[in-house]
Structure formats: structure tokens, C-alpha cells
Amino acid sequence: MAGLLKALAKSAGPKLAIGAGLAGVALLVTGWIDRPAAEEPAPPAPIAKAPPAPAPAPVKPAERRSDQPMTIDPRALTVKRVLKIDGPFRHGDYAWDESGAPTTGPVIITVDLRAQTLSVFRAGYEIGAAVILYGATDKPSPLGAFPITQKDADHFSNLYDNAPMPYMLRLTSDGVAIHGSDVQWGKATHGCIGVPVAFAQKLFGVTKLGDVVVITNGKRLDVSKAQVGA
């Protein structure tokens, strides 16, 4: 009996070895096919972008009294173009034309009390002009250059009976501003520069804090080398 068992084991040995080898290969193949997808390297996570830094708040220019005008570089008052205005320029009239003018650049406003007119220039190009009201003799408008220190589209006076001052551009700490008014012959202000309301709205839209207003009494800018119209 013992001899018979040895003979069977001897004859079955190679077959068992081959079977065991094939079974091992089958397990390897099965393991490769059945590998979970999670074992593959995951793609790198996107790098989050930092939010843009907030724009710095505009620096508010220092307020000045009517007797504290600022100095201004005469080169800033160079005129390159003036508007063509046909016919008489009467109280309540204004002109506005930005065509042909730069869309960016420093804005300067000039006021001539003797001529009773205001002009607004961008980069030396006149884009608007209007007939104005100005201060009466008991409260005259100040002379000199003043920066715009406050803008308020729906302002009411805290000095003169809550009077409406639409599209107000404050110039001095003692109450002088440019604002919309009913510009009619014979009227005056308490030192402010009054312009037609529709013009005041346009002026409000193109100005910012720090833009300069130059008020004179008959002294006009040199326009001898400026072109007329577009």
C-alpha cells in the first residue's frame, strides 16, 4: 500500500506544480484587472487664486477757506481746444461736447466772474461751458484755485435755509461750491458758483475729488494757440 501511494504522488507531482503555477498567474492577472481605480494617483488639486487687493481709497484733499487758495502750475492751464459757440451766450445757456477730446486726463474748471462763464477742460480740451451765477457784493465768490473736496448729487445747504444744491462740488470749508441753480439774469448766490442743473449733472459726472477749480475776475486763459471746435 505504501508503495502504491508513493507511485501516485510521483506521477501527480508535475501536474500539481503546473496547476499551482497556472493558479498563481491567474491570481496575478485577476488582481491587476480588479485593481480599484482609487489606487491610481489623483490629479493635483487646482491652486486657489488669491482675491485681488482692494483699490486704495482716494485721498481727500485738504479743505481750504475762501482766503486760502492753492498755487497751481501754469502749465496745467494750457489750452489745446475751445468749443465753438455760435450766437450770444445768455443766462441759462450752456454747451457740452466731448467729441474729439481725450477720454482721460486731468480735469480743470475755470470760472471768470467778469465774463460770467465757466469752462471745463479735460487734458487741455474744452468739453463744456456755461453762463453762471456768482456771489453778490455782501458775499462775493472767492478768487484763486481750489480743489474739489466733496461731491454730493442731492445736497441741501446747511447754511441757507436747507436750500437745494443739486450736483454739489464743494470748494471751500466756509461754504463755497459749484452746484445746479436756476440761472436767470438778476439773481446771485451767497458766494457759490451756480450753473444750469442739466450742466451741473454733466459736470458732476466728469469730475473727481482733487480736481482744481480756478476762479478769476477777468483774467482769462491764453487760447491764442488753441484750435476751435472738434
Side-chain angles (χ1 to χ4, degrees):
M1 179 62 73
L4 179 60
L5 291 175
K6 290 181 180 179
L8 289 172
K10 186 176 180 180
S11 62
K15 294 179 181 179
L16 289 173
I18 294 172
L22 291 175
V25 172
L27 288 172
L28 290 174
V29 172
T30 302
W32 177 260
I33 293 174
D34 294 340
R35 176 181 292 176
E39 295 183 11
E40 298 182 1
I47 301 174
K49 295 183 179 180
V59 178
K60 182 179 178 180
E63 292 189 347
R64 295 169 177 269
R65 297 192 310 268
S66 295
D67 59 350
Q68 294 177 317
M70 62 185 291
T71 58
I72 186 170
D73 186 345
R75 291 175 297 180
L77 302 176
T78 301
V79 178
K80 300 176 182 177
R81 185 198 74 175
V82 294
L83 293 176
K84 183 180 180 182
I85 300 175
D86 297 322
F89 214 33
R90 299 186 176 91
H91 287 76
D93 291 346
Y94 73 88
W96 192 275
D97 186 359
E98 298 183 51
S99 61
T103 56
T104 60
V107 172
I108 290 182
I109 299 167
T110 63
V111 178
D112 184 349
L113 302 180
R114 183 176 299 176
Q116 301 181 47
T117 56
L118 177 152
S119 292
V120 52
F121 297 87
R122 182 196 290 137
Y125 286 70
E126 187 180 31
I127 59 174
V131 179
I132 66 168
L133 298 179
Y134 59 97
T137 55
D138 60 332
K139 184 66 175 177
S141 299
L143 300 179
F146 301 91
I148 296 172
T149 58
Q150 181 188 359
K151 296 179 63 176
D152 186 355
D154 192 27
H155 186 73
F156 290 84
S157 175
N158 52 13
L159 296 175
Y160 305 109
D161 300 323
N162 206 37
M165 301 170 66
Y167 305 106
M168 185 273 295
L169 307 176
R170 186 179 300 281
L171 303 183
T172 73
S173 60
D174 50 354
V176 176
I178 299 173
H179 59 79
S181 297
D182 181 14
V183 181
Q184 296 184 23
W185 170 259
K187 290 189 174 183
T189 71
H190 295 283
C192 289
I193 305 299
V195 295
V197 174
F199 180 87
Q201 182 179 14
K202 293 179 179 294
L203 184 61
F204 191 92
V206 300
T207 52
K208 65 182 184 304
L209 298 185
D211 286 343
V212 176
V213 178
V214 181
I215 305 175
T216 67
N217 189 17
K219 185 177 180 180
R220 302 185 183 184
L221 300 183
D222 182 6
V223 297
S224 60
K225 297 180 180 180
Q227 64 182 32
V228 178

